[in-house]
Amino acid sequence: MSDCANCIVRNQAICGALSPDELEILNKAGRKQRLTAGQTLFWEGDDSLLVANVIEGVLKLSTSMADGREQIVGVVFPSDFIGRPFGGVSSHSVTALTDAYLCTFARSDFDRFAAQYPALERKLLDRTLTELDRARKWMLLLGRKTATEKTASFILEMSDRLGRQGCESEGPADSFLLPLGRQQIADILGLTIETVSRQLTKMKQDGLIELPDRRAITIRDRDALQMQVA
Amino acid sequence: MSDCANCIVRNQAICGALSPDELEILNKAGRKQRLTAGQTLFWEGDDSLLVANVIEGVLKLSTSMADGREQIVGVVFPSDFIGRPFGGVSSHSVTALTDAYLCTFARSDFDRFAAQYPALERKLLDRTLTELDRARKWMLLLGRKTATEKTASFILEMSDRLGRQGCESEGPADSFLLPLGRQQIADILGLTIETVSRQLTKMKQDGLIELPDRRAITIRDRDALQMQVA
DNA sequence: CGTATATTTGATCGAGCTCAACCAGCGTGG
DNA sequence: CCACGCTGGTTGAGCTCGATCAAATATACG
Protein backbone atom coordinates (compact mmCIF):
# COMPACT_ATOMS: atom_id res chain seq x y z
CA MET A 1 0.00 0.00 0.00
CA SER A 2 1.38 3.39 -0.97
CA ASP A 3 1.63 6.06 1.72
CA CYS A 4 -0.63 8.21 -0.33
CA ALA A 5 -3.42 5.67 -0.43
CA ASN A 6 -2.93 5.23 3.27
CA CYS A 7 -3.34 8.94 3.74
CA ILE A 8 -6.58 9.36 1.84
CA VAL A 9 -8.13 6.39 3.54
CA ARG A 10 -7.25 7.72 6.97
CA ASN A 11 -8.62 11.12 6.16
CA GLN A 12 -11.80 10.21 4.39
CA ALA A 13 -12.96 6.68 5.12
CA ILE A 14 -15.77 6.10 7.56
CA CYS A 15 -13.24 4.87 10.09
CA GLY A 16 -12.26 8.52 10.45
CA ALA A 17 -15.15 8.74 12.89
CA LEU A 18 -13.33 6.50 15.33
CA SER A 19 -10.77 7.15 18.03
CA PRO A 20 -7.42 5.32 17.75
CA ASP A 21 -8.42 2.60 20.19
CA GLU A 22 -11.82 2.09 18.60
CA LEU A 23 -10.00 1.80 15.31
CA GLU A 24 -7.83 -0.85 16.88
CA ILE A 25 -10.87 -2.94 17.81
CA LEU A 26 -12.41 -2.56 14.37
CA ASN A 27 -9.15 -3.51 12.72
CA LYS A 28 -9.05 -6.76 14.63
CA ALA A 29 -12.46 -7.66 13.20
CA GLY A 30 -11.30 -6.76 9.69
CA ARG A 31 -9.33 -8.74 7.20
CA LYS A 32 -7.12 -7.32 4.48
CA GLN A 33 -7.90 -8.76 1.07
CA ARG A 34 -6.25 -8.42 -2.33
CA LEU A 35 -8.18 -8.57 -5.57
CA THR A 36 -6.71 -8.76 -9.04
CA ALA A 37 -8.25 -6.81 -11.91
CA GLY A 38 -11.38 -8.56 -13.13
CA GLN A 39 -11.97 -10.49 -9.93
CA THR A 40 -15.45 -10.30 -8.42
CA LEU A 41 -15.86 -9.77 -4.68
CA PHE A 42 -19.52 -10.79 -4.63
CA TRP A 43 -22.44 -11.14 -7.00
CA GLU A 44 -25.77 -9.46 -7.45
CA GLY A 45 -28.35 -11.40 -5.47
CA ASP A 46 -25.88 -12.91 -3.00
CA ASP A 47 -27.05 -12.26 0.47
CA SER A 48 -24.93 -9.61 1.97
CA LEU A 49 -22.24 -11.39 4.00
CA LEU A 50 -19.48 -8.87 3.90
CA VAL A 51 -18.77 -5.18 3.73
CA ALA A 52 -15.45 -3.48 3.01
CA ASN A 53 -13.48 -0.31 2.76
CA VAL A 54 -11.41 0.28 -0.35
CA ILE A 55 -7.78 1.00 0.50
CA GLU A 56 -6.33 0.89 -2.98
CA GLY A 57 -7.69 0.36 -6.49
CA VAL A 58 -10.93 0.97 -8.32
CA LEU A 59 -13.98 -1.29 -8.41
CA LYS A 60 -17.27 -1.28 -10.30
CA LEU A 61 -20.78 -1.98 -9.06
CA SER A 62 -22.95 -3.49 -11.76
CA THR A 63 -26.30 -5.10 -12.43
CA SER A 64 -27.11 -7.16 -15.44
CA MET A 65 -29.98 -8.85 -17.22
CA ALA A 66 -30.46 -12.49 -18.18
CA ASP A 67 -29.40 -11.83 -21.77
CA GLY A 68 -26.13 -10.22 -20.74
CA ARG A 69 -26.97 -6.55 -21.00
CA GLU A 70 -25.07 -4.81 -18.22
CA GLN A 71 -25.28 -1.47 -16.48
CA ILE A 72 -22.54 -0.16 -14.22
CA VAL A 73 -24.32 1.56 -11.32
CA GLY A 74 -21.32 2.85 -9.45
CA VAL A 75 -17.55 3.20 -9.50
CA VAL A 76 -15.75 2.93 -6.21
CA PHE A 77 -12.45 4.59 -5.26
CA PRO A 78 -10.07 4.38 -2.29
CA SER A 79 -11.73 5.31 1.02
CA ASP A 80 -15.15 4.39 -0.36
CA PHE A 81 -17.35 1.87 1.39
CA ILE A 82 -18.69 -1.30 -0.24
CA GLY A 83 -21.60 -3.50 0.68
CA ARG A 84 -25.05 -3.57 2.20
CA PRO A 85 -25.01 -3.42 6.01
CA PHE A 86 -28.03 -4.51 8.05
CA GLY A 87 -29.25 -7.49 6.08
CA GLY A 88 -30.80 -7.82 2.70
CA VAL A 89 -29.28 -9.10 -0.49
CA SER A 90 -26.82 -7.23 -2.60
CA SER A 91 -28.50 -5.43 -5.48
CA HIS A 92 -25.34 -5.42 -7.58
CA SER A 93 -22.09 -7.27 -8.21
CA VAL A 94 -18.78 -5.78 -7.11
CA THR A 95 -15.82 -6.37 -9.42
CA ALA A 96 -12.27 -5.03 -9.35
CA LEU A 97 -11.38 -2.87 -12.34
CA THR A 98 -7.75 -2.63 -11.28
CA ASP A 99 -5.82 -4.67 -8.77
CA ALA A 100 -7.25 -3.65 -5.45
CA TYR A 101 -6.64 -3.87 -1.73
CA LEU A 102 -9.58 -3.94 0.65
CA CYS A 103 -10.31 -4.06 4.33
CA THR A 104 -13.25 -6.46 4.64
CA PHE A 105 -15.53 -7.29 7.55
CA ALA A 106 -18.04 -10.05 8.09
CA ARG A 107 -21.33 -8.21 7.90
CA SER A 108 -22.50 -9.50 11.27
CA ASP A 109 -19.32 -8.23 12.95
CA PHE A 110 -19.64 -4.88 11.28
CA ASP A 111 -23.32 -4.52 12.13
CA ARG A 112 -22.62 -5.24 15.77
CA PHE A 113 -19.74 -2.81 15.83
CA ALA A 114 -21.71 -0.09 14.04
CA ALA A 115 -24.56 -0.40 16.55
CA GLN A 116 -22.09 0.50 19.30
CA TYR A 117 -20.60 3.52 17.56
CA PRO A 118 -23.25 5.99 16.39
CA ALA A 119 -20.50 8.21 14.96
CA LEU A 120 -19.68 5.41 12.54
CA GLU A 121 -23.29 5.00 11.50
CA ARG A 122 -23.57 8.70 11.09
CA LYS A 123 -20.58 8.81 8.77
CA LEU A 124 -22.01 5.90 6.83
CA LEU A 125 -25.34 7.70 6.53
CA ASP A 126 -23.61 10.80 5.20
CA ARG A 127 -21.77 8.77 2.63
CA THR A 128 -24.89 6.89 1.58
CA LEU A 129 -26.80 10.14 1.12
CA THR A 130 -23.98 11.42 -1.10
CA GLU A 131 -24.01 8.20 -3.13
CA LEU A 132 -27.77 8.51 -3.54
CA ASP A 133 -27.37 12.04 -4.86
CA ARG A 134 -24.73 10.86 -7.28
CA ALA A 135 -26.91 7.98 -8.45
CA ARG A 136 -29.82 10.34 -9.06
CA LYS A 137 -27.67 12.75 -11.01
CA TRP A 138 -26.63 9.77 -13.13
CA MET A 139 -30.27 8.89 -13.75
CA LEU A 140 -30.70 12.21 -15.53
CA LEU A 141 -27.73 11.35 -17.71
CA LEU A 142 -29.04 7.88 -18.53
CA GLY A 143 -32.60 8.92 -19.17
CA ARG A 144 -32.26 12.23 -20.94
CA LYS A 145 -28.80 13.00 -22.30
CA THR A 146 -27.49 12.40 -25.83
CA ALA A 147 -24.40 10.31 -26.58
CA THR A 148 -22.24 13.44 -26.85
CA GLU A 149 -23.55 14.86 -23.58
CA LYS A 150 -23.06 11.52 -21.86
CA THR A 151 -19.48 11.23 -23.03
CA ALA A 152 -18.56 14.78 -22.04
CA SER A 153 -20.15 14.29 -18.62
CA PHE A 154 -18.19 11.09 -18.17
CA ILE A 155 -14.86 12.69 -18.95
CA LEU A 156 -15.46 15.58 -16.57
CA GLU A 157 -16.69 13.32 -13.79
CA MET A 158 -13.63 11.10 -14.15
CA SER A 159 -11.33 14.10 -14.22
CA ASP A 160 -12.95 15.23 -11.00
CA ARG A 161 -12.97 11.96 -9.11
CA LEU A 162 -9.50 10.88 -10.19
CA GLY A 163 -8.18 14.35 -9.31
CA ARG A 164 -9.35 14.02 -5.72
CA GLN A 165 -7.49 10.81 -5.14
CA GLY A 166 -4.15 12.26 -4.07
CA CYS A 167 -3.10 13.44 -0.63
CA GLU A 168 -3.45 17.18 -0.98
CA SER A 169 -6.93 16.92 -2.49
CA GLU A 170 -5.92 18.69 -5.69
CA GLY A 171 -8.59 19.92 -8.06
CA PRO A 172 -9.73 18.04 -11.14
CA ALA A 173 -6.97 16.45 -13.21
CA ASP A 174 -6.50 17.52 -16.83
CA SER A 175 -4.63 14.39 -17.73
CA PHE A 176 -5.46 10.99 -16.30
CA LEU A 177 -5.48 7.27 -16.80
CA LEU A 178 -8.88 5.61 -16.90
CA PRO A 179 -9.35 2.51 -14.80
CA LEU A 180 -11.82 1.35 -17.50
CA GLY A 181 -11.87 -0.05 -20.99
CA ARG A 182 -14.22 1.16 -23.71
CA GLN A 183 -16.83 -1.51 -23.03
CA GLN A 184 -16.99 -0.46 -19.40
CA ILE A 185 -17.38 3.18 -20.33
CA ALA A 186 -20.26 2.10 -22.53
CA ASP A 187 -21.77 0.16 -19.60
CA ILE A 188 -21.61 3.26 -17.44
CA LEU A 189 -23.20 5.53 -20.03
CA GLY A 190 -25.85 3.18 -21.37
CA LEU A 191 -24.30 3.22 -24.85
CA THR A 192 -22.53 0.73 -27.11
CA ILE A 193 -18.79 0.46 -27.35
CA GLU A 194 -18.85 1.71 -30.95
CA THR A 195 -20.74 4.86 -30.02
CA VAL A 196 -18.32 5.63 -27.20
CA SER A 197 -15.38 5.16 -29.53
CA ARG A 198 -16.90 7.42 -32.16
CA GLN A 199 -17.72 10.12 -29.62
CA LEU A 200 -14.17 10.10 -28.29
CA THR A 201 -12.54 10.33 -31.71
CA LYS A 202 -14.95 13.11 -32.61
CA MET A 203 -13.91 15.04 -29.50
CA LYS A 204 -10.28 14.44 -30.36
CA GLN A 205 -10.82 15.76 -33.89
CA ASP A 206 -12.58 18.82 -32.47
CA GLY A 207 -9.56 19.49 -30.26
CA LEU A 208 -11.43 19.03 -26.98
CA ILE A 209 -9.31 16.14 -25.78
CA GLU A 210 -6.19 14.10 -26.53
CA LEU A 211 -6.08 10.32 -26.43
CA PRO A 212 -2.37 9.58 -25.90
CA ASP A 213 -3.05 5.93 -25.16
CA ARG A 214 -6.07 3.67 -25.01
CA ARG A 215 -6.45 4.22 -21.27
CA ALA A 216 -5.39 7.85 -21.11
CA ILE A 217 -7.30 11.08 -21.64
CA THR A 218 -6.00 14.63 -21.65
CA ILE A 219 -8.44 17.50 -21.53
CA ARG A 220 -7.45 20.29 -23.92
CA ASP A 221 -10.48 22.54 -23.65
CA ARG A 222 -12.34 22.08 -20.42
CA ASP A 223 -14.77 24.93 -21.06
CA ALA A 224 -15.84 23.57 -24.42
CA LEU A 225 -16.26 20.18 -22.79
CA GLN A 226 -18.34 21.73 -20.05
CA MET A 227 -20.61 23.22 -22.72
CA GLN A 228 -21.19 19.76 -24.16
CA VAL A 229 -22.65 18.31 -20.97
CA ALA A 230 -25.94 19.97 -21.70
CA MET B 1 -55.92 12.36 7.41
CA SER B 2 -57.48 8.94 7.01
CA ASP B 3 -56.94 6.39 9.76
CA CYS B 4 -55.31 4.18 7.23
CA ALA B 5 -52.67 6.72 6.29
CA ASN B 6 -52.13 7.29 9.97
CA CYS B 7 -51.57 3.60 10.45
CA ILE B 8 -48.97 3.13 7.75
CA VAL B 9 -47.05 6.16 8.84
CA ARG B 10 -46.96 4.97 12.44
CA ASN B 11 -45.83 1.52 11.40
CA GLN B 12 -43.26 2.37 8.81
CA ALA B 13 -41.98 5.93 9.08
CA ILE B 14 -38.63 6.60 10.66
CA CYS B 15 -40.40 7.92 13.73
CA GLY B 16 -41.22 4.29 14.46
CA ALA B 17 -37.79 4.16 16.06
CA LEU B 18 -38.92 6.48 18.82
CA SER B 19 -40.65 5.94 22.12
CA PRO B 20 -43.96 7.77 22.70
CA ASP B 21 -42.37 10.59 24.67
CA GLU B 22 -39.52 11.00 22.21
CA LEU B 23 -42.16 11.18 19.52
CA GLU B 24 -43.85 13.90 21.49
CA ILE B 25 -40.70 16.00 21.50
CA LEU B 26 -40.13 15.50 17.79
CA ASN B 27 -43.72 16.40 17.04
CA LYS B 28 -43.33 19.72 18.76
CA ALA B 29 -40.43 20.54 16.45
CA GLY B 30 -42.48 19.50 13.42
CA ARG B 31 -45.06 21.41 11.46
CA LYS B 32 -47.89 19.91 9.48
CA GLN B 33 -48.09 21.19 5.94
CA ARG B 34 -50.57 20.73 3.10
CA LEU B 35 -49.56 20.75 -0.54
CA THR B 36 -51.90 20.81 -3.50
CA ALA B 37 -51.17 18.76 -6.61
CA GLY B 38 -48.50 20.46 -8.68
CA GLN B 39 -47.09 22.51 -5.84
CA THR B 40 -43.32 22.36 -5.30
CA LEU B 41 -41.93 21.97 -1.78
CA PHE B 42 -38.40 22.98 -2.75
CA TRP B 43 -36.21 23.22 -5.82
CA GLU B 44 -33.12 21.52 -7.08
CA GLY B 45 -30.11 23.53 -5.94
CA ASP B 46 -31.85 25.14 -2.96
CA ASP B 47 -29.80 24.61 0.12
CA SER B 48 -31.41 22.02 2.23
CA LEU B 49 -33.46 23.89 4.84
CA LEU B 50 -36.14 21.37 5.59
CA VAL B 51 -36.86 17.69 5.75
CA ALA B 52 -40.23 15.98 5.99
CA ASN B 53 -42.19 12.81 6.39
CA VAL B 54 -45.00 12.10 3.98
CA ILE B 55 -48.27 11.45 5.79
CA GLU B 56 -50.60 11.42 2.83
CA GLY B 57 -50.23 11.81 -0.93
CA VAL B 58 -47.58 11.12 -3.56
CA LEU B 59 -44.68 13.36 -4.54
CA LYS B 60 -42.02 13.27 -7.24
CA LEU B 61 -38.30 14.00 -7.00
CA SER B 62 -36.94 15.38 -10.25
CA THR B 63 -33.90 16.95 -11.85
CA SER B 64 -33.92 18.90 -15.04
CA MET B 65 -31.64 20.50 -17.58
CA ALA B 66 -31.47 24.08 -18.78
CA ASP B 67 -33.43 23.30 -21.94
CA GLY B 68 -36.29 21.74 -19.99
CA ARG B 69 -35.53 18.06 -20.33
CA GLU B 70 -36.62 16.44 -17.07
CA GLN B 71 -35.93 13.17 -15.32
CA ILE B 72 -37.97 11.97 -12.37
CA VAL B 73 -35.48 10.35 -9.99
CA GLY B 74 -37.86 9.16 -7.33
CA VAL B 75 -41.50 8.81 -6.37
CA VAL B 76 -42.36 9.21 -2.73
CA PHE B 77 -45.29 7.62 -0.87
CA PRO B 78 -46.78 7.95 2.63
CA SER B 79 -44.29 7.13 5.40
CA ASP B 80 -41.36 7.99 3.13
CA PHE B 81 -38.79 10.55 4.13
CA ILE B 82 -37.96 13.66 2.09
CA GLY B 83 -34.92 15.88 2.11
CA ARG B 84 -31.20 15.99 2.65
CA PRO B 85 -30.23 15.98 6.33
CA PHE B 86 -26.77 17.13 7.43
CA GLY B 87 -26.12 20.00 5.10
CA GLY B 88 -25.53 20.21 1.42
CA VAL B 89 -27.86 21.39 -1.29
CA SER B 90 -30.79 19.44 -2.60
CA SER B 91 -29.91 17.55 -5.75
CA HIS B 92 -33.53 17.48 -6.92
CA SER B 93 -36.84 19.30 -6.73
CA VAL B 94 -39.74 17.89 -4.73
CA THR B 95 -43.21 18.39 -6.19
CA ALA B 96 -46.60 17.07 -5.12
CA LEU B 97 -48.26 14.80 -7.69
CA THR B 98 -51.47 14.62 -5.69
CA ASP B 99 -52.68 16.75 -2.84
CA ALA B 100 -50.41 15.86 0.03
CA TYR B 101 -50.00 16.22 3.75
CA LEU B 102 -46.54 16.37 5.26
CA CYS B 103 -44.85 16.64 8.60
CA THR B 104 -41.95 19.03 8.03
CA PHE B 105 -38.97 19.95 10.20
CA ALA B 106 -36.42 22.71 9.94
CA ARG B 107 -33.29 20.87 8.96
CA SER B 108 -31.27 22.29 11.83
CA ASP B 109 -33.87 21.09 14.38
CA PHE B 110 -34.00 17.69 12.78
CA ASP B 111 -30.22 17.33 12.64
CA ARG B 112 -29.92 18.19 16.30
CA PHE B 113 -32.67 15.78 17.22
CA ALA B 114 -31.23 12.99 15.09
CA ALA B 115 -27.82 13.37 16.70
CA GLN B 116 -29.45 12.60 20.06
CA TYR B 117 -31.33 9.52 18.91
CA PRO B 118 -29.09 7.02 17.17
CA ALA B 119 -32.09 4.74 16.60
CA LEU B 120 -33.56 7.44 14.39
CA GLU B 121 -30.37 7.81 12.39
CA ARG B 122 -30.19 4.08 12.08
CA LYS B 123 -33.67 3.90 10.65
CA LEU B 124 -32.83 6.73 8.29
CA LEU B 125 -29.69 4.89 7.17
CA ASP B 126 -31.70 1.77 6.49
CA ARG B 127 -34.17 3.71 4.41
CA THR B 128 -31.46 5.53 2.51
CA LEU B 129 -29.73 2.26 1.67
CA THR B 130 -33.02 0.91 0.34
CA GLU B 131 -33.55 4.05 -1.74
CA LEU B 132 -30.05 3.71 -3.14
CA ASP B 133 -30.76 0.13 -4.17
CA ARG B 134 -33.96 1.22 -5.83
CA ALA B 135 -32.18 4.04 -7.66
CA ARG B 136 -29.52 1.65 -8.92
CA LYS B 137 -32.09 -0.84 -10.13
CA TRP B 138 -33.68 2.06 -12.01
CA MET B 139 -30.34 2.91 -13.62
CA LEU B 140 -30.38 -0.49 -15.33
CA LEU B 141 -33.83 0.31 -16.67
CA LEU B 142 -32.81 3.74 -17.94
CA GLY B 143 -29.54 2.65 -19.47
CA ARG B 144 -30.33 -0.72 -20.94
CA LYS B 145 -34.02 -1.52 -21.30
CA THR B 146 -36.21 -1.05 -24.37
CA ALA B 147 -39.40 1.00 -24.35
CA THR B 148 -41.54 -2.12 -23.92
CA GLU B 149 -39.41 -3.42 -21.06
CA LYS B 150 -39.44 -0.01 -19.41
CA THR B 151 -43.20 0.26 -19.59
CA ALA B 152 -43.81 -3.25 -18.26
CA SER B 153 -41.36 -2.63 -15.41
CA PHE B 154 -43.15 0.59 -14.58
CA ILE B 155 -46.57 -1.02 -14.39
CA LEU B 156 -45.34 -3.81 -12.15
CA GLU B 157 -43.44 -1.44 -9.87
CA MET B 158 -46.49 0.78 -9.51
CA SER B 159 -48.71 -2.19 -8.83
CA ASP B 160 -46.30 -3.21 -6.13
CA ARG B 161 -45.80 0.13 -4.43
CA LEU B 162 -49.42 1.18 -4.59
CA GLY B 163 -50.46 -2.23 -3.27
CA ARG B 164 -48.37 -1.80 -0.15
CA GLN B 165 -50.00 1.46 0.80
CA GLY B 166 -52.93 0.07 2.77
CA CYS B 167 -52.99 -0.97 6.40
CA GLU B 168 -52.79 -4.73 6.10
CA SER B 169 -49.84 -4.56 3.72
CA GLU B 170 -51.65 -6.43 0.98
CA GLY B 171 -49.70 -7.77 -1.94
CA PRO B 172 -49.43 -6.02 -5.30
CA ALA B 173 -52.66 -4.51 -6.63
CA ASP B 174 -54.06 -5.72 -9.95
CA SER B 175 -56.10 -2.62 -10.45
CA PHE B 176 -54.98 0.83 -9.44
CA LEU B 177 -55.09 4.55 -10.08
CA LEU B 178 -51.85 6.17 -11.14
CA PRO B 179 -50.83 9.35 -9.36
CA LEU B 180 -49.17 10.37 -12.64
CA GLY B 181 -50.06 11.63 -16.08
CA ARG B 182 -48.48 10.34 -19.28
CA GLN B 183 -45.80 13.00 -19.40
CA GLN B 184 -44.70 12.09 -15.91
CA ILE B 185 -44.55 8.42 -16.77
CA ALA B 186 -42.34 9.41 -19.70
CA ASP B 187 -40.13 11.44 -17.35
CA ILE B 188 -39.71 8.43 -15.10
CA LEU B 189 -38.83 6.05 -17.92
CA GLY B 190 -36.65 8.32 -20.01
CA LEU B 191 -39.06 8.16 -22.96
CA THR B 192 -41.38 10.57 -24.77
CA ILE B 193 -45.05 10.86 -24.03
CA GLU B 194 -45.93 9.45 -27.46
CA THR B 195 -43.85 6.34 -26.94
CA VAL B 196 -45.44 5.69 -23.55
CA SER B 197 -48.88 6.07 -25.05
CA ARG B 198 -48.09 3.68 -27.90
CA GLN B 199 -46.64 1.10 -25.55
CA LEU B 200 -49.71 1.19 -23.32
CA THR B 201 -52.18 0.82 -26.19
CA LYS B 202 -50.08 -2.02 -27.58
CA MET B 203 -50.26 -3.79 -24.23
CA LYS B 204 -53.99 -3.23 -24.13
CA GLN B 205 -54.39 -4.68 -27.61
CA ASP B 206 -52.29 -7.69 -26.58
CA GLY B 207 -54.62 -8.25 -23.61
CA LEU B 208 -51.97 -7.67 -20.97
CA ILE B 209 -53.71 -4.72 -19.38
CA GLU B 210 -56.93 -2.70 -19.37
CA LEU B 211 -57.06 1.08 -19.40
CA PRO B 212 -60.49 1.86 -17.93
CA ASP B 213 -59.68 5.52 -17.58
CA ARG B 214 -56.75 7.80 -18.32
CA ARG B 215 -55.37 7.41 -14.81
CA ALA B 216 -56.31 3.78 -14.20
CA ILE B 217 -54.58 0.52 -15.07
CA THR B 218 -55.83 -3.02 -14.58
CA ILE B 219 -53.40 -5.89 -15.00
CA ARG B 220 -54.98 -8.77 -16.93
CA ASP B 221 -51.97 -11.03 -17.37
CA ARG B 222 -49.33 -10.43 -14.77
CA ASP B 223 -47.14 -13.32 -15.91
CA ALA B 224 -47.00 -12.10 -19.47
CA LEU B 225 -46.18 -8.65 -18.17
CA GLN B 226 -43.45 -10.11 -16.00
CA MET B 227 -41.95 -11.72 -19.11
CA GLN B 228 -41.77 -8.33 -20.79
CA VAL B 229 -39.56 -6.74 -18.16
CA ALA B 230 -36.53 -8.42 -19.65
C1' DC C 1 6.45 -13.19 -35.08
C1' DG C 2 1.74 -15.08 -34.51
C1' DT C 3 -2.28 -15.28 -32.13
C1' DA C 4 -5.79 -13.30 -28.98
C1' DT C 5 -7.94 -9.16 -27.41
C1' DA C 6 -9.27 -4.26 -27.58
C1' DT C 7 -10.41 -0.47 -30.40
C1' DT C 8 -11.56 2.01 -34.46
C1' DT C 9 -13.94 2.67 -38.67
C1' DG C 10 -17.53 1.87 -42.14
C1' DA C 11 -22.22 0.71 -43.90
C1' DT C 12 -26.80 -0.15 -42.86
C1' DC C 13 -30.92 -0.52 -40.07
C1' DG C 14 -34.55 0.39 -36.91
C1' DA C 15 -36.46 1.88 -32.29
C1' DG C 16 -37.85 5.74 -30.58
C1' DC C 17 -38.09 10.81 -31.42
C1' DT C 18 -40.23 14.73 -33.76
C1' DC C 19 -43.74 17.12 -35.83
C1' DA C 20 -48.48 17.38 -36.73
C1' DA C 21 -53.16 16.26 -36.71
C1' DC C 22 -56.87 14.37 -34.24
C1' DC C 23 -59.90 13.00 -30.37
C1' DA C 24 -62.14 12.58 -25.68
C1' DG C 25 -63.51 14.44 -21.53
C1' DC C 26 -65.00 18.46 -19.03
C1' DG C 27 -65.79 22.79 -17.08
C1' DT C 28 -67.57 27.41 -18.65
C1' DG C 29 -70.67 30.56 -20.28
C1' DG C 30 -74.20 31.77 -23.54
C1' DC D 1 -78.47 22.15 -22.77
C1' DC D 2 -75.34 22.56 -26.02
C1' DA D 3 -71.52 24.96 -28.32
C1' DC D 4 -66.96 26.17 -27.11
C1' DG D 5 -62.36 25.93 -25.82
C1' DC D 6 -58.92 23.74 -23.00
C1' DT D 7 -56.18 20.09 -21.29
C1' DG D 8 -54.38 15.68 -21.75
C1' DG D 9 -54.06 11.74 -24.51
C1' DT D 10 -53.86 9.11 -28.93
C1' DT D 11 -52.56 8.22 -33.64
C1' DG D 12 -49.95 8.86 -37.95
C1' DA D 13 -45.83 9.82 -41.09
C1' DG D 14 -41.21 10.56 -41.56
C1' DC D 15 -36.60 11.17 -39.79
C1' DT D 16 -32.52 10.66 -36.88
C1' DC D 17 -29.49 9.05 -33.52
C1' DG D 18 -27.49 5.40 -31.88
C1' DA D 19 -27.59 0.25 -32.50
C1' DT D 20 -26.12 -3.53 -35.22
C1' DC D 21 -23.36 -6.04 -38.31
C1' DA D 22 -18.95 -6.43 -40.45
C1' DA D 23 -14.31 -5.54 -41.39
C1' DA D 24 -9.95 -3.39 -40.61
C1' DT D 25 -6.29 -1.94 -37.15
C1' DA D 26 -3.91 -1.52 -33.09
C1' DT D 27 -2.02 -3.44 -28.89
C1' DA D 28 -0.57 -7.09 -25.67
C1' DC D 29 1.67 -11.34 -24.86
C1' DG D 30 3.60 -15.76 -25.23
Side-chain angles (χ1 to χ4, degrees):
Chain A
M1 172 186 10
S2 76
D3 285 346
C4 207
N6 195 352
C7 151
I8 191 161
V9 171
R10 274 188 194 284
N11 288 338
Q12 296 183 29
I14 51 168
C15 331
L18 300 174
S19 71
D21 36 330
E22 289 165 349
L23 201 54
E24 181 62 26
I25 304 173
L26 183 61
N27 267 330
K28 273 201 283 204
R31 193 169 85 77
K32 297 293 193 296
Q33 183 170 355
R34 285 205 174 283
L35 290 178
T36 55
Q39 207 179 338
T40 293
L41 183 62
F42 54 79
W43 301 93
E44 180 177 5
D46 286 3
D47 30 44
S48 165
L49 294 175
L50 60 83
V51 298
N53 253 303
V54 181
I55 297 170
E56 216 177 58
V58 184
L59 310 254
K60 69 169 182 179
L61 317 181
S62 60
T63 41
S64 46
M65 305 175 52
D67 61 7
R69 278 175 283 174
E70 175 170 332
Q71 177 67 44
I72 294 182
V73 297
V75 180
V76 176
F77 291 90
S79 88
D80 286 342
F81 182 82
I82 291 175
R84 177 62 158 102
F86 318 129
V89 298
S90 172
S91 68
H92 50 260
S93 308
V94 177
T95 307
L97 292 170
T98 65
D99 291 349
Y101 194 48
L102 309 179
C103 181
T104 63
F105 305 89
R107 209 200 21 93
S108 52
D109 290 348
F110 182 85
D111 285 4
R112 206 173 321 113
F113 191 87
Q116 288 175 309
Y117 297 93
L120 187 70
E121 284 199 342
R122 165 60 174 280
K123 202 127 189 181
L124 195 51
L125 174 54
D126 237 342
R127 223 155 234 288
T128 308
L129 285 164
T130 303
E131 267 311 304
L132 184 55
D133 281 348
R134 198 201 302 284
R136 284 173 166 164
K137 192 171 124 229
W138 218 248
M139 288 172 72
L140 175 65
L141 176 141
L142 290 171
R144 292 303 189 197
K145 291 194 182 180
T146 65
T148 308
E149 291 164 349
K150 285 178 175 183
T151 310
S153 304
F154 169 78
I155 294 170
L156 290 172
E157 165 104 0
M158 274 300 162
S159 151
D160 201 45
R161 294 194 75 184
L162 290 167
R164 291 185 199 298
Q165 271 200 97
C167 269
E168 313 86 8
S169 62
E170 316 97 65
D174 273 348
S175 199
F176 49 89
L177 270 172
L178 294 172
L180 309 144
R182 293 287 184 271
Q183 180 59 61
Q184 287 154 343
I185 299 175
D187 289 339
I188 288 179
L189 299 177
L191 296 171
T192 59
I193 186 173
E194 294 95 329
T195 301
V196 170
S197 179
R198 278 187 251 271
Q199 292 296 331
L200 288 174
T201 47
K202 177 86 185 337
M203 287 178 174
K204 182 168 86 175
Q205 282 161 4
D206 295 350
L208 302 189
I209 56 170
E210 300 271 318
L211 300 169
D213 152 21
R214 54 167 76 188
R215 289 286 179 123
I217 292 186
T218 302
I219 296 177
R220 303 228 79 189
D221 188 343
R222 182 173 292 269
D223 294 344
L225 215 47
Q226 188 64 52
M227 295 275 76
Q228 301 259 16
V229 310
Chain B
M1 171 186 11
S2 76
D3 286 347
C4 207
N6 196 351
C7 152
I8 192 162
V9 171
R10 275 186 192 285
N11 289 338
Q12 296 182 30
I14 51 168
C15 332
L18 302 174
S19 70
D21 35 330
E22 288 164 351
L23 200 55
E24 182 62 25
I25 303 173
L26 183 61
N27 266 331
K28 272 200 286 205
R31 194 169 86 78
K32 296 294 193 296
Q33 183 169 356
R34 286 204 173 282
L35 291 178
T36 55
Q39 208 179 338
T40 293
L41 183 62
F42 55 79
W43 300 94
E44 178 176 7
D46 285 3
D47 32 43
S48 166
L49 294 175
L50 60 83
V51 299
N53 253 303
V54 181
I55 296 170
E56 218 177 56
V58 183
L59 310 253
K60 69 169 182 179
L61 317 180
S62 60
T63 42
S64 47
M65 305 175 49
D67 61 8
R69 279 176 282 175
E70 175 169 332
Q71 177 67 44
I72 294 181
V73 298
V75 179
V76 176
F77 291 91
S79 89
D80 286 342
F81 183 82
I82 290 173
R84 175 64 158 100
F86 318 129
V89 299
S90 172
S91 68
H92 50 259
S93 309
V94 177
T95 307
L97 293 171
T98 65
D99 290 349
Y101 194 48
L102 310 178
C103 180
T104 63
F105 304 90
R107 206 196 30 87
S108 53
D109 289 348
F110 183 85
D111 286 4
R112 208 172 320 112
F113 190 87
Q116 289 174 309
Y117 298 93
L120 187 70
E121 284 199 341
R122 165 60 173 280
K123 203 127 187 182
L124 195 50
L125 174 54
D126 238 342
R127 223 154 233 290
T128 308
L129 286 164
T130 303
E131 267 311 304
L132 184 55
D133 280 348
R134 198 201 301 282
R136 284 172 166 165
K137 192 171 124 229
W138 218 249
M139 288 171 71
L140 174 65
L141 176 142
L142 290 171
R144 292 304 189 196
K145 291 194 181 179
T146 65
T148 308
E149 291 165 349
K150 285 178 174 183
T151 310
S153 304
F154 169 78
I155 294 171
L156 290 171
E157 166 104 0
M158 274 300 163
S159 150
D160 201 44
R161 294 193 75 185
L162 290 167
R164 287 184 201 299
Q165 271 201 96
C167 268
E168 314 85 7
S169 62
E170 316 96 67
D174 273 347
S175 200
F176 49 88
L177 270 172
L178 294 172
L180 309 143
R182 294 287 185 269
Q183 181 59 60
Q184 287 153 344
I185 300 176
D187 288 339
I188 288 180
L189 299 177
L191 297 172
T192 59
I193 188 174
E194 295 94 330
T195 301
V196 171
S197 180
R198 280 187 249 271
Q199 291 297 331
L200 288 174
T201 48
K202 177 85 185 337
M203 286 178 173
K204 182 168 86 175
Q205 281 161 5
D206 295 352
L208 302 188
I209 57 171
E210 300 271 319
L211 300 169
D213 151 22
R214 52 170 71 186
R215 287 286 179 125
I217 292 186
T218 302
I219 297 176
R220 303 229 79 190
D221 188 342
R222 181 173 292 269
D223 295 344
L225 216 47
Q226 189 63 52
M227 295 275 77
Q228 303 259 16
V229 308

